[in-house]
PDB file of all heavy atoms in Angstrom:
ATOM      1  N   ASN E   1     -52.267 -26.151  34.455  1.00  0.00           N
ATOM      2  CA  ASN E   1     -50.983 -25.256  34.436  1.00  0.00           C
ATOM      3  C   ASN E   1     -50.671 -24.807  33.149  1.00  0.00           C
ATOM      4  O   ASN E   1     -50.291 -23.641  32.948  1.00  0.00           O
ATOM      5  CB  ASN E   1     -49.928 -26.120  35.091  1.00  0.00           C
ATOM      6  CG  ASN E   1     -50.033 -26.350  36.537  1.00  0.00           C
ATOM      7  OD1 ASN E   1     -50.771 -25.542  37.257  1.00  0.00           O
ATOM      8  ND2 ASN E   1     -49.411 -27.402  37.056  1.00  0.00           N
ATOM      9  N   ARG E   2     -50.840 -25.788  32.162  1.00  0.00           N
ATOM     10  CA  ARG E   2     -50.547 -25.342  30.723  1.00  0.00           C
ATOM     11  C   ARG E   2     -51.451 -24.254  30.188  1.00  0.00           C
ATOM     12  O   ARG E   2     -50.928 -23.358  29.459  1.00  0.00           O
ATOM     13  CB  ARG E   2     -50.577 -26.532  29.787  1.00  0.00           C
ATOM     14  CG  ARG E   2     -49.327 -27.484  29.864  1.00  0.00           C
ATOM     15  CD  ARG E   2     -49.295 -28.458  28.722  1.00  0.00           C
ATOM     16  NE  ARG E   2     -50.624 -29.196  28.542  1.00  0.00           N
ATOM     17  CZ  ARG E   2     -50.902 -30.309  29.131  1.00  0.00           C
ATOM     18  NH1 ARG E   2     -50.025 -30.893  29.957  1.00  0.00           N
ATOM     19  NH2 ARG E   2     -52.101 -30.948  28.865  1.00  0.00           N
ATOM     20  N   ILE E   3     -52.748 -24.312  30.560  1.00  0.00           N
ATOM     21  CA  ILE E   3     -53.708 -23.372  30.277  1.00  0.00           C
ATOM     22  C   ILE E   3     -53.228 -22.003  30.696  1.00  0.00           C
ATOM     23  O   ILE E   3     -53.169 -20.961  30.004  1.00  0.00           O
ATOM     24  CB  ILE E   3     -55.097 -23.713  30.782  1.00  0.00           C
ATOM     25  CG1 ILE E   3     -55.697 -24.887  29.873  1.00  0.00           C
ATOM     26  CG2 ILE E   3     -56.109 -22.357  30.545  1.00  0.00           C
ATOM     27  CD1 ILE E   3     -56.970 -25.412  30.476  1.00  0.00           C
ATOM     28  N   GLU E   4     -52.788 -21.937  32.023  1.00  0.00           N
ATOM     29  CA  GLU E   4     -52.521 -20.692  32.619  1.00  0.00           C
ATOM     30  C   GLU E   4     -51.068 -20.050  31.889  1.00  0.00           C
ATOM     31  O   GLU E   4     -51.041 -18.911  31.487  1.00  0.00           O
ATOM     32  CB  GLU E   4     -52.280 -20.837  34.082  1.00  0.00           C
ATOM     33  CG  GLU E   4     -53.414 -21.031  34.845  1.00  0.00           C
ATOM     34  CD  GLU E   4     -53.241 -21.443  36.388  1.00  0.00           C
ATOM     35  OE1 GLU E   4     -52.102 -21.301  36.726  1.00  0.00           O
ATOM     36  OE2 GLU E   4     -54.263 -21.661  37.003  1.00  0.00           O
ATOM     37  N   ASP E   5     -50.187 -20.981  31.690  1.00  0.00           N
ATOM     38  CA  ASP E   5     -48.879 -20.683  31.216  1.00  0.00           C
ATOM     39  C   ASP E   5     -49.132 -20.137  29.743  1.00  0.00           C
ATOM     40  O   ASP E   5     -48.589 -19.132  29.176  1.00  0.00           O
ATOM     41  CB  ASP E   5     -47.821 -21.813  31.130  1.00  0.00           C
ATOM     42  CG  ASP E   5     -47.477 -22.205  32.386  1.00  0.00           C
ATOM     43  OD1 ASP E   5     -47.739 -21.276  33.456  1.00  0.00           O
ATOM     44  OD2 ASP E   5     -47.005 -23.113  32.696  1.00  0.00           O
ATOM     45  N   GLU E   6     -49.861 -20.871  28.845  1.00  0.00           N
ATOM     46  CA  GLU E   6     -50.047 -20.478  27.540  1.00  0.00           C
ATOM     47  C   GLU E   6     -50.831 -19.263  27.338  1.00  0.00           C
ATOM     48  O   GLU E   6     -50.594 -18.346  26.513  1.00  0.00           O
ATOM     49  CB  GLU E   6     -50.606 -21.618  26.668  1.00  0.00           C
ATOM     50  CG  GLU E   6     -49.735 -22.802  26.430  1.00  0.00           C
ATOM     51  CD  GLU E   6     -50.224 -23.832  25.357  1.00  0.00           C
ATOM     52  OE1 GLU E   6     -51.164 -23.479  24.683  1.00  0.00           O
ATOM     53  OE2 GLU E   6     -49.685 -24.871  25.424  1.00  0.00           O
ATOM     54  N   THR E   7     -51.821 -19.081  28.181  1.00  0.00           N
ATOM     55  CA  THR E   7     -52.708 -17.866  28.142  1.00  0.00           C
ATOM     56  C   THR E   7     -51.767 -16.584  28.395  1.00  0.00           C
ATOM     57  O   THR E   7     -51.788 -15.607  27.849  1.00  0.00           O
ATOM     58  CB  THR E   7     -53.850 -17.890  29.127  1.00  0.00           C
ATOM     59  OG1 THR E   7     -54.672 -19.046  28.766  1.00  0.00           O
ATOM     60  CG2 THR E   7     -54.685 -16.662  28.975  1.00  0.00           C
ATOM     61  N   ALA E   8     -51.021 -16.745  29.551  1.00  0.00           N
ATOM     62  CA  ALA E   8     -50.157 -15.577  29.796  1.00  0.00           C
ATOM     63  C   ALA E   8     -49.124 -15.407  28.747  1.00  0.00           C
ATOM     64  O   ALA E   8     -48.778 -14.227  28.403  1.00  0.00           O
ATOM     65  CB  ALA E   8     -49.380 -15.965  31.190  1.00  0.00           C
ATOM     66  N   ARG E   9     -48.536 -16.415  28.110  1.00  0.00           N
ATOM     67  CA  ARG E   9     -47.614 -16.259  27.051  1.00  0.00           C
ATOM     68  C   ARG E   9     -48.257 -15.572  25.910  1.00  0.00           C
ATOM     69  O   ARG E   9     -47.640 -14.643  25.269  1.00  0.00           O
ATOM     70  CB  ARG E   9     -46.983 -17.615  26.646  1.00  0.00           C
ATOM     71  CG  ARG E   9     -45.940 -17.540  25.599  1.00  0.00           C
ATOM     72  CD  ARG E   9     -45.215 -18.876  25.355  1.00  0.00           C
ATOM     73  NE  ARG E   9     -46.177 -19.911  24.943  1.00  0.00           N
ATOM     74  CZ  ARG E   9     -46.498 -20.157  23.768  1.00  0.00           C
ATOM     75  NH1 ARG E   9     -45.988 -19.398  22.683  1.00  0.00           N
ATOM     76  NH2 ARG E   9     -47.263 -21.174  23.318  1.00  0.00           N
ATOM     77  N   PHE E  10     -49.486 -15.925  25.438  1.00  0.00           N
ATOM     78  CA  PHE E  10     -49.998 -15.311  24.363  1.00  0.00           C
ATOM     79  C   PHE E  10     -50.378 -13.805  24.627  1.00  0.00           C
ATOM     80  O   PHE E  10     -50.170 -12.976  23.683  1.00  0.00           O
ATOM     81  CB  PHE E  10     -51.415 -16.127  23.988  1.00  0.00           C
ATOM     82  CG  PHE E  10     -51.214 -17.193  22.931  1.00  0.00           C
ATOM     83  CD1 PHE E  10     -50.670 -18.437  23.394  1.00  0.00           C
ATOM     84  CD2 PHE E  10     -51.576 -17.054  21.619  1.00  0.00           C
ATOM     85  CE1 PHE E  10     -50.537 -19.457  22.480  1.00  0.00           C
ATOM     86  CE2 PHE E  10     -51.411 -18.105  20.695  1.00  0.00           C
ATOM     87  CZ  PHE E  10     -50.834 -19.164  21.116  1.00  0.00           C
ATOM     88  N   LEU E  11     -50.911 -13.572  25.726  1.00  0.00           N
ATOM     89  CA  LEU E  11     -51.246 -12.213  26.137  1.00  0.00           C
ATOM     90  C   LEU E  11     -50.048 -11.474  26.308  1.00  0.00           C
ATOM     91  O   LEU E  11     -49.921 -10.248  25.906  1.00  0.00           O
ATOM     92  CB  LEU E  11     -51.995 -12.174  27.448  1.00  0.00           C
ATOM     93  CG  LEU E  11     -53.451 -12.709  27.322  1.00  0.00           C
ATOM     94  CD1 LEU E  11     -54.035 -12.716  28.825  1.00  0.00           C
ATOM     95  CD2 LEU E  11     -54.211 -11.774  26.561  1.00  0.00           C
ATOM     96  N   PHE E  12     -48.847 -12.001  26.698  1.00  0.00           N
ATOM     97  CA  PHE E  12     -47.576 -11.163  26.829  1.00  0.00           C
ATOM     98  C   PHE E  12     -47.048 -10.785  25.459  1.00  0.00           C
ATOM     99  O   PHE E  12     -46.697  -9.805  25.268  1.00  0.00           O
ATOM    100  CB  PHE E  12     -46.550 -12.014  27.593  1.00  0.00           C
ATOM    101  CG  PHE E  12     -45.302 -11.309  27.684  1.00  0.00           C
ATOM    102  CD1 PHE E  12     -45.079 -10.382  28.638  1.00  0.00           C
ATOM    103  CD2 PHE E  12     -44.149 -11.652  26.910  1.00  0.00           C
ATOM    104  CE1 PHE E  12     -43.915  -9.681  28.864  1.00  0.00           C
ATOM    105  CE2 PHE E  12     -42.962 -11.049  27.071  1.00  0.00           C
ATOM    106  CZ  PHE E  12     -42.694 -10.062  28.051  1.00  0.00           C
ATOM    107  N   PHE E  13     -47.264 -11.607  24.435  1.00  0.00           N
ATOM    108  CA  PHE E  13     -46.738 -11.309  23.068  1.00  0.00           C
ATOM    109  C   PHE E  13     -47.731 -10.606  22.238  1.00  0.00           C
ATOM    110  O   PHE E  13     -47.468 -10.387  21.126  1.00  0.00           O
ATOM    111  CB  PHE E  13     -46.300 -12.737  22.456  1.00  0.00           C
ATOM    112  CG  PHE E  13     -44.945 -13.100  22.922  1.00  0.00           C
ATOM    113  CD1 PHE E  13     -44.888 -14.329  23.645  1.00  0.00           C
ATOM    114  CD2 PHE E  13     -43.776 -12.394  22.912  1.00  0.00           C
ATOM    115  CE1 PHE E  13     -43.778 -14.902  24.112  1.00  0.00           C
ATOM    116  CE2 PHE E  13     -42.578 -13.009  23.336  1.00  0.00           C
ATOM    117  CZ  PHE E  13     -42.646 -14.116  24.024  1.00  0.00           C
ATOM    118  N   LEU E  14     -48.884 -10.331  22.739  1.00  0.00           N
ATOM    119  CA  LEU E  14     -50.037  -9.696  22.058  1.00  0.00           C
ATOM    120  C   LEU E  14     -49.580  -8.231  21.641  1.00  0.00           C
ATOM    121  O   LEU E  14     -49.048  -7.543  22.602  1.00  0.00           O
ATOM    122  CB  LEU E  14     -51.337  -9.615  22.857  1.00  0.00           C
ATOM    123  CG  LEU E  14     -52.517  -9.022  22.167  1.00  0.00           C
ATOM    124  CD1 LEU E  14     -52.957  -9.902  20.996  1.00  0.00           C
ATOM    125  CD2 LEU E  14     -53.603  -8.811  23.256  1.00  0.00           C
ATOM    126  N   GLN E  15     -49.723  -7.871  20.397  1.00  0.00           N
ATOM    127  CA  GLN E  15     -49.277  -6.522  20.073  1.00  0.00           C
ATOM    128  C   GLN E  15     -50.611  -5.807  19.564  1.00  0.00           C
ATOM    129  O   GLN E  15     -51.066  -6.079  18.420  1.00  0.00           O
ATOM    130  CB  GLN E  15     -48.282  -6.504  18.990  1.00  0.00           C
ATOM    131  CG  GLN E  15     -46.910  -7.084  19.458  1.00  0.00           C
ATOM    132  CD  GLN E  15     -45.896  -7.077  18.290  1.00  0.00           C
ATOM    133  OE1 GLN E  15     -46.161  -6.755  17.154  1.00  0.00           O
ATOM    134  NE2 GLN E  15     -44.677  -7.698  18.652  1.00  0.00           N
ATOM    135  N   PRO E  16     -51.130  -4.919  20.396  1.00  0.00           N
ATOM    136  CA  PRO E  16     -52.294  -4.200  19.938  1.00  0.00           C
ATOM    137  C   PRO E  16     -52.012  -3.260  18.801  1.00  0.00           C
ATOM    138  O   PRO E  16     -51.004  -2.641  18.789  1.00  0.00           O
ATOM    139  CB  PRO E  16     -52.862  -3.608  21.258  1.00  0.00           C
ATOM    140  CG  PRO E  16     -51.596  -3.497  22.131  1.00  0.00           C
ATOM    141  CD  PRO E  16     -50.707  -4.465  21.827  1.00  0.00           C
ATOM    142  N   VAL E  17     -52.999  -3.121  17.895  1.00  0.00           N
ATOM    143  CA  VAL E  17     -52.929  -2.193  16.862  1.00  0.00           C
ATOM    144  C   VAL E  17     -53.952  -0.950  17.119  1.00  0.00           C
ATOM    145  O   VAL E  17     -55.039  -1.362  17.418  1.00  0.00           O
ATOM    146  CB  VAL E  17     -53.290  -2.882  15.498  1.00  0.00           C
ATOM    147  CG1 VAL E  17     -53.122  -1.980  14.427  1.00  0.00           C
ATOM    148  CG2 VAL E  17     -52.207  -3.952  15.255  1.00  0.00           C
ATOM    149  N   ARG E  18     -53.454   0.150  16.855  1.00  0.00           N
ATOM    150  CA  ARG E  18     -54.465   1.376  16.985  1.00  0.00           C
ATOM    151  C   ARG E  18     -54.799   1.835  15.691  1.00  0.00           C
ATOM    152  O   ARG E  18     -54.174   1.661  14.675  1.00  0.00           O
ATOM    153  CB  ARG E  18     -53.694   2.514  17.775  1.00  0.00           C
ATOM    154  CG  ARG E  18     -53.324   1.945  19.213  1.00  0.00           C
ATOM    155  CD  ARG E  18     -52.744   3.107  19.893  1.00  0.00           C
ATOM    156  NE  ARG E  18     -52.409   2.474  21.236  1.00  0.00           N
ATOM    157  CZ  ARG E  18     -52.208   3.204  22.375  1.00  0.00           C
ATOM    158  NH1 ARG E  18     -52.394   4.522  22.315  1.00  0.00           N
ATOM    159  NH2 ARG E  18     -51.980   2.697  23.577  1.00  0.00           N
ATOM    160  N   GLY E  19     -55.895   2.585  15.771  1.00  0.00           N
ATOM    161  CA  GLY E  19     -56.474   3.059  14.483  1.00  0.00           C
ATOM    162  C   GLY E  19     -57.555   2.229  13.873  1.00  0.00           C
ATOM    163  O   GLY E  19     -57.957   1.247  14.503  1.00  0.00           O
ATOM    164  N   GLU E  20     -58.051   2.561  12.789  1.00  0.00           N
ATOM    165  CA  GLU E  20     -59.085   1.979  12.096  1.00  0.00           C
ATOM    166  C   GLU E  20     -58.697   0.665  11.495  1.00  0.00           C
ATOM    167  O   GLU E  20     -57.418   0.556  11.090  1.00  0.00           O
ATOM    168  CB  GLU E  20     -59.747   2.742  10.899  1.00  0.00           C
ATOM    169  CG  GLU E  20     -60.752   3.699  11.474  1.00  0.00           C
ATOM    170  CD  GLU E  20     -61.495   4.423  10.321  1.00  0.00           C
ATOM    171  OE1 GLU E  20     -61.759   3.805   9.370  1.00  0.00           O
ATOM    172  OE2 GLU E  20     -61.705   5.691  10.457  1.00  0.00           O
ATOM    173  N   MET E  21     -59.504  -0.354  11.457  1.00  0.00           N
ATOM    174  CA  MET E  21     -59.219  -1.570  10.676  1.00  0.00           C
ATOM    175  C   MET E  21     -59.221  -1.345   9.219  1.00  0.00           C
ATOM    176  O   MET E  21     -60.134  -0.761   8.653  1.00  0.00           O
ATOM    177  CB  MET E  21     -60.241  -2.623  10.974  1.00  0.00           C
ATOM    178  CG  MET E  21     -60.143  -3.118  12.380  1.00  0.00           C
ATOM    179  SD  MET E  21     -58.967  -4.457  12.626  1.00  0.00           S
ATOM    180  CE  MET E  21     -59.578  -5.661  11.548  1.00  0.00           C
ATOM    181  N   PRO E  22     -58.182  -1.684   8.426  1.00  0.00           N
ATOM    182  CA  PRO E  22     -58.128  -1.502   7.040  1.00  0.00           C
ATOM    183  C   PRO E  22     -59.279  -2.462   6.335  1.00  0.00           C
ATOM    184  O   PRO E  22     -59.639  -3.389   6.988  1.00  0.00           O
ATOM    185  CB  PRO E  22     -56.698  -1.838   6.505  1.00  0.00           C
ATOM    186  CG  PRO E  22     -56.267  -2.664   7.621  1.00  0.00           C
ATOM    187  CD  PRO E  22     -56.853  -2.205   8.921  1.00  0.00           C
ATOM    188  N   ASP E  23     -59.613  -2.101   5.181  1.00  0.00           N
ATOM    189  CA  ASP E  23     -60.618  -2.791   4.457  1.00  0.00           C
ATOM    190  C   ASP E  23     -60.100  -4.044   4.029  1.00  0.00           C
ATOM    191  O   ASP E  23     -58.905  -4.115   3.495  1.00  0.00           O
ATOM    192  CB  ASP E  23     -61.183  -2.036   3.075  1.00  0.00           C
ATOM    193  CG  ASP E  23     -62.079  -0.834   3.521  1.00  0.00           C
ATOM    194  OD1 ASP E  23     -62.533  -0.833   4.693  1.00  0.00           O
ATOM    195  OD2 ASP E  23     -62.000   0.104   2.712  1.00  0.00           O
ATOM    196  N   VAL E  24     -60.773  -5.169   4.321  1.00  0.00           N
ATOM    197  CA  VAL E  24     -60.321  -6.487   3.943  1.00  0.00           C
ATOM    198  C   VAL E  24     -61.138  -6.853   2.741  1.00  0.00           C
ATOM    199  O   VAL E  24     -62.379  -6.890   2.709  1.00  0.00           O
ATOM    200  CB  VAL E  24     -60.484  -7.495   4.992  1.00  0.00           C
ATOM    201  CG1 VAL E  24     -60.040  -8.867   4.633  1.00  0.00           C
ATOM    202  CG2 VAL E  24     -59.736  -7.118   6.238  1.00  0.00           C
ATOM    203  N   PRO E  25     -60.520  -7.085   1.474  1.00  0.00           N
ATOM    204  CA  PRO E  25     -61.332  -7.475   0.399  1.00  0.00           C
ATOM    205  C   PRO E  25     -62.011  -8.883   0.641  1.00  0.00           C
ATOM    206  O   PRO E  25     -61.405  -9.763   1.210  1.00  0.00           O
ATOM    207  CB  PRO E  25     -60.216  -7.534  -0.803  1.00  0.00           C
ATOM    208  CG  PRO E  25     -58.918  -7.853  -0.023  1.00  0.00           C
ATOM    209  CD  PRO E  25     -59.093  -7.285   1.281  1.00  0.00           C
ATOM    210  N   MET E  26     -63.156  -8.946   0.054  1.00  0.00           N
ATOM    211  CA  MET E  26     -63.899 -10.160  -0.043  1.00  0.00           C
ATOM    212  C   MET E  26     -63.235 -11.231  -0.939  1.00  0.00           C
ATOM    213  O   MET E  26     -62.638 -10.853  -1.883  1.00  0.00           O
ATOM    214  CB  MET E  26     -65.383  -9.932  -0.374  1.00  0.00           C
ATOM    215  CG  MET E  26     -66.080  -9.017   0.544  1.00  0.00           C
ATOM    216  SD  MET E  26     -66.083  -9.647   2.287  1.00  0.00           S
ATOM    217  CE  MET E  26     -67.135 -10.922   2.177  1.00  0.00           C
ATOM    218  N   PRO E  27     -63.315 -12.434  -0.679  1.00  0.00           N
ATOM    219  CA  PRO E  27     -62.670 -13.490  -1.508  1.00  0.00           C
ATOM    220  C   PRO E  27     -63.088 -13.410  -2.988  1.00  0.00           C
ATOM    221  O   PRO E  27     -62.417 -13.691  -3.911  1.00  0.00           O
ATOM    222  CB  PRO E  27     -63.161 -14.814  -0.848  1.00  0.00           C
ATOM    223  CG  PRO E  27     -63.451 -14.631   0.519  1.00  0.00           C
ATOM    224  CD  PRO E  27     -63.995 -13.072   0.608  1.00  0.00           C
ATOM    225  N   GLU E  28     -64.467 -13.053  -3.320  1.00  0.00           N
ATOM    226  CA  GLU E  28     -64.862 -12.956  -4.624  1.00  0.00           C
ATOM    227  C   GLU E  28     -64.228 -11.779  -5.318  1.00  0.00           C
ATOM    228  O   GLU E  28     -64.255 -11.784  -6.605  1.00  0.00           O
ATOM    229  CB  GLU E  28     -66.447 -12.982  -4.708  1.00  0.00           C
ATOM    230  CG  GLU E  28     -67.158 -11.892  -4.002  1.00  0.00           C
ATOM    231  CD  GLU E  28     -67.475 -12.205  -2.675  1.00  0.00           C
ATOM    232  OE1 GLU E  28     -67.208 -13.298  -2.140  1.00  0.00           O
ATOM    233  OE2 GLU E  28     -68.165 -11.337  -2.000  1.00  0.00           O
ATOM    234  N   ASP E  29     -63.871 -10.769  -4.574  1.00  0.00           N
ATOM    235  CA  ASP E  29     -63.171  -9.625  -5.189  1.00  0.00           C
ATOM    236  C   ASP E  29     -61.725  -9.895  -5.518  1.00  0.00           C
ATOM    237  O   ASP E  29     -61.130  -9.298  -6.405  1.00  0.00           O
ATOM    238  CB  ASP E  29     -63.116  -8.412  -4.197  1.00  0.00           C
ATOM    239  CG  ASP E  29     -64.595  -7.859  -3.940  1.00  0.00           C
ATOM    240  OD1 ASP E  29     -65.452  -8.131  -4.814  1.00  0.00           O
ATOM    241  OD2 ASP E  29     -64.817  -7.220  -3.091  1.00  0.00           O
ATOM    242  N   ASP E  30     -61.007 -10.849  -4.913  1.00  0.00           N
ATOM    243  CA  ASP E  30     -59.685 -11.174  -5.041  1.00  0.00           C
ATOM    244  C   ASP E  30     -59.447 -11.828  -6.450  1.00  0.00           C
ATOM    245  O   ASP E  30     -58.428 -11.632  -6.982  1.00  0.00           O
ATOM    246  CB  ASP E  30     -59.052 -12.022  -3.979  1.00  0.00           C
ATOM    247  CG  ASP E  30     -58.913 -11.253  -2.621  1.00  0.00           C
ATOM    248  OD1 ASP E  30     -59.090  -9.992  -2.654  1.00  0.00           O
ATOM    249  OD2 ASP E  30     -58.638 -11.915  -1.595  1.00  0.00           O
ATOM    250  N   TRP E  31     -60.343 -12.873  -6.763  1.00  0.00           N
ATOM    251  CA  TRP E  31     -60.027 -13.692  -7.945  1.00  0.00           C
ATOM    252  C   TRP E  31     -61.017 -13.242  -9.063  1.00  0.00           C
ATOM    253  O   TRP E  31     -62.164 -13.135  -8.868  1.00  0.00           O
ATOM    254  CB  TRP E  31     -60.179 -15.159  -7.583  1.00  0.00           C
ATOM    255  CG  TRP E  31     -59.425 -15.542  -6.363  1.00  0.00           C
ATOM    256  CD1 TRP E  31     -59.845 -15.624  -5.026  1.00  0.00           C
ATOM    257  CD2 TRP E  31     -58.102 -15.818  -6.396  1.00  0.00           C
ATOM    258  NE1 TRP E  31     -58.868 -15.964  -4.403  1.00  0.00           N
ATOM    259  CE2 TRP E  31     -57.686 -15.997  -5.089  1.00  0.00           C
ATOM    260  CE3 TRP E  31     -57.019 -15.658  -7.400  1.00  0.00           C
ATOM    261  CZ2 TRP E  31     -56.394 -16.381  -4.626  1.00  0.00           C
ATOM    262  CZ3 TRP E  31     -55.773 -16.086  -6.966  1.00  0.00           C
ATOM    263  CH2 TRP E  31     -55.365 -16.352  -5.618  1.00  0.00           C
ATOM    264  N   PRO E  32     -60.457 -13.297 -10.265  1.00  0.00           N
ATOM    265  CA  PRO E  32     -61.336 -13.027 -11.390  1.00  0.00           C
ATOM    266  C   PRO E  32     -62.205 -14.426 -11.486  1.00  0.00           C
ATOM    267  O   PRO E  32     -61.765 -15.402 -11.208  1.00  0.00           O
ATOM    268  CB  PRO E  32     -60.430 -12.864 -12.641  1.00  0.00           C
ATOM    269  CG  PRO E  32     -59.029 -13.458 -12.138  1.00  0.00           C
ATOM    270  CD  PRO E  32     -59.008 -13.338 -10.686  1.00  0.00           C
ATOM    271  N   ASP E  33     -63.358 -14.156 -12.160  1.00  0.00           N
ATOM    272  CA  ASP E  33     -64.139 -15.326 -12.308  1.00  0.00           C
ATOM    273  C   ASP E  33     -63.512 -16.388 -13.369  1.00  0.00           C
ATOM    274  O   ASP E  33     -62.685 -15.910 -14.120  1.00  0.00           O
ATOM    275  CB  ASP E  33     -65.519 -14.895 -13.078  1.00  0.00           C
ATOM    276  CG  ASP E  33     -66.326 -14.047 -11.991  1.00  0.00           C
ATOM    277  OD1 ASP E  33     -66.148 -14.175 -10.901  1.00  0.00           O
ATOM    278  OD2 ASP E  33     -67.224 -13.259 -12.440  1.00  0.00           O
ATOM    279  N   GLU E  34     -63.999 -17.592 -13.230  1.00  0.00           N
ATOM    280  CA  GLU E  34     -63.419 -18.623 -14.177  1.00  0.00           C
ATOM    281  C   GLU E  34     -63.839 -18.278 -15.634  1.00  0.00           C
ATOM    282  O   GLU E  34     -63.114 -18.703 -16.574  1.00  0.00           O
ATOM    283  CB  GLU E  34     -63.853 -20.023 -13.728  1.00  0.00           C
ATOM    284  CG  GLU E  34     -63.170 -20.508 -12.448  1.00  0.00           C
ATOM    285  CD  GLU E  34     -63.691 -21.838 -12.149  1.00  0.00           C
ATOM    286  OE1 GLU E  34     -63.813 -22.775 -13.133  1.00  0.00           O
ATOM    287  OE2 GLU E  34     -63.727 -22.206 -10.983  1.00  0.00           O
ATOM    288  N   ASP E  35     -65.097 -17.709 -15.791  1.00  0.00           N
ATOM    289  CA  ASP E  35     -65.535 -17.448 -17.090  1.00  0.00           C
ATOM    290  C   ASP E  35     -64.881 -16.303 -17.863  1.00  0.00           C
ATOM    291  O   ASP E  35     -64.807 -16.076 -18.960  1.00  0.00           O
ATOM    292  CB  ASP E  35     -66.997 -17.106 -17.071  1.00  0.00           C
ATOM    293  CG  ASP E  35     -67.820 -18.321 -16.438  1.00  0.00           C
ATOM    294  OD1 ASP E  35     -67.234 -19.432 -16.463  1.00  0.00           O
ATOM    295  OD2 ASP E  35     -68.845 -18.062 -15.859  1.00  0.00           O
ATOM    296  N   SER E  36     -64.195 -15.351 -17.052  1.00  0.00           N
ATOM    297  CA  SER E  36     -63.628 -14.176 -17.588  1.00  0.00           C
ATOM    298  C   SER E  36     -62.286 -14.460 -18.274  1.00  0.00           C
ATOM    299  O   SER E  36     -61.739 -15.501 -18.006  1.00  0.00           O
ATOM    300  CB  SER E  36     -63.337 -13.096 -16.469  1.00  0.00           C
ATOM    301  OG  SER E  36     -62.252 -13.651 -15.716  1.00  0.00           O
ATOM    302  N   GLN E  37     -62.149 -13.731 -19.358  1.00  0.00           N
ATOM    303  CA  GLN E  37     -60.965 -13.876 -20.271  1.00  0.00           C
ATOM    304  C   GLN E  37     -59.675 -13.360 -19.557  1.00  0.00           C
ATOM    305  O   GLN E  37     -59.729 -12.620 -18.646  1.00  0.00           O
ATOM    306  CB  GLN E  37     -61.074 -13.160 -21.665  1.00  0.00           C
ATOM    307  CG  GLN E  37     -61.920 -13.709 -22.789  1.00  0.00           C
ATOM    308  CD  GLN E  37     -62.860 -14.781 -22.270  1.00  0.00           C
ATOM    309  OE1 GLN E  37     -62.766 -15.276 -21.383  1.00  0.00           O
ATOM    310  NE2 GLN E  37     -63.857 -15.345 -23.065  1.00  0.00           N
ATOM    311  N   GLU E  38     -58.487 -13.791 -20.017  1.00  0.00           N
ATOM    312  CA  GLU E  38     -57.082 -13.340 -19.488  1.00  0.00           C
ATOM    313  C   GLU E  38     -57.053 -11.950 -19.524  1.00  0.00           C
ATOM    314  O   GLU E  38     -56.590 -11.360 -18.645  1.00  0.00           O
ATOM    315  CB  GLU E  38     -56.108 -14.235 -20.228  1.00  0.00           C
ATOM    316  CG  GLU E  38     -54.714 -13.738 -19.692  1.00  0.00           C
ATOM    317  CD  GLU E  38     -54.113 -14.987 -18.908  1.00  0.00           C
ATOM    318  OE1 GLU E  38     -54.729 -16.082 -19.002  1.00  0.00           O
ATOM    319  OE2 GLU E  38     -53.047 -14.805 -18.380  1.00  0.00           O
ATOM    320  N   GLY E  39     -57.269 -11.355 -20.714  1.00  0.00           N
ATOM    321  CA  GLY E  39     -57.000  -9.871 -20.938  1.00  0.00           C
ATOM    322  C   GLY E  39     -58.163  -9.076 -20.517  1.00  0.00           C
ATOM    323  O   GLY E  39     -58.143  -7.911 -20.783  1.00  0.00           O
ATOM    324  N   ASP E  40     -59.248  -9.604 -20.033  1.00  0.00           N
ATOM    325  CA  ASP E  40     -60.428  -8.841 -19.697  1.00  0.00           C
ATOM    326  C   ASP E  40     -60.262  -8.099 -18.346  1.00  0.00           C
ATOM    327  O   ASP E  40     -60.171  -8.594 -17.345  1.00  0.00           O
ATOM    328  CB  ASP E  40     -61.520  -9.745 -19.593  1.00  0.00           C
ATOM    329  CG  ASP E  40     -62.888  -8.886 -19.362  1.00  0.00           C
ATOM    330  OD1 ASP E  40     -62.920  -7.605 -19.706  1.00  0.00           O
ATOM    331  OD2 ASP E  40     -63.869  -9.493 -18.900  1.00  0.00           O
ATOM    332  N   ASP E  41     -60.101  -6.797 -18.385  1.00  0.00           N
ATOM    333  CA  ASP E  41     -59.980  -5.872 -17.153  1.00  0.00           C
ATOM    334  C   ASP E  41     -61.260  -5.082 -16.771  1.00  0.00           C
ATOM    335  O   ASP E  41     -61.135  -4.422 -15.937  1.00  0.00           O
ATOM    336  CB  ASP E  41     -58.846  -4.800 -17.348  1.00  0.00           C
ATOM    337  CG  ASP E  41     -57.461  -5.633 -17.414  1.00  0.00           C
ATOM    338  OD1 ASP E  41     -57.253  -6.673 -16.915  1.00  0.00           O
ATOM    339  OD2 ASP E  41     -56.541  -4.972 -17.954  1.00  0.00           O
TER     340      ASP E  41
END
């Protein structure tokens, strides 16, 4: 019963998004390397 209820609840609150998926940056692109200097751009 809980499986049915929770599945219906999740699907009811699901909000579909239309259009293309935006680019998600890779984790290595998010952070500067530990070796890089503070002011190095």
Side-chain angles (χ1 to χ4, degrees):
N1 291 336
R2 280 193 312 271
I3 288 172
E4 291 173 5
D5 292 344
E6 286 190 18
T7 303
R9 184 173 57 90
F10 270 80
L11 288 172
F12 181 73
F13 288 115
L14 182 69
Q15 296 180 357
V17 178
R18 295 187 180 197
E20 279 189 37
M21 291 277 296
D23 290 335
V24 178
M26 296 303 289
E28 60 269 4
D29 292 342
D30 286 351
W31 304 103
D33 293 337
E34 287 183 36
D35 302 334
S36 67
Q37 281 15 346
E38 179 113 4
D40 185 19
D41 287 338

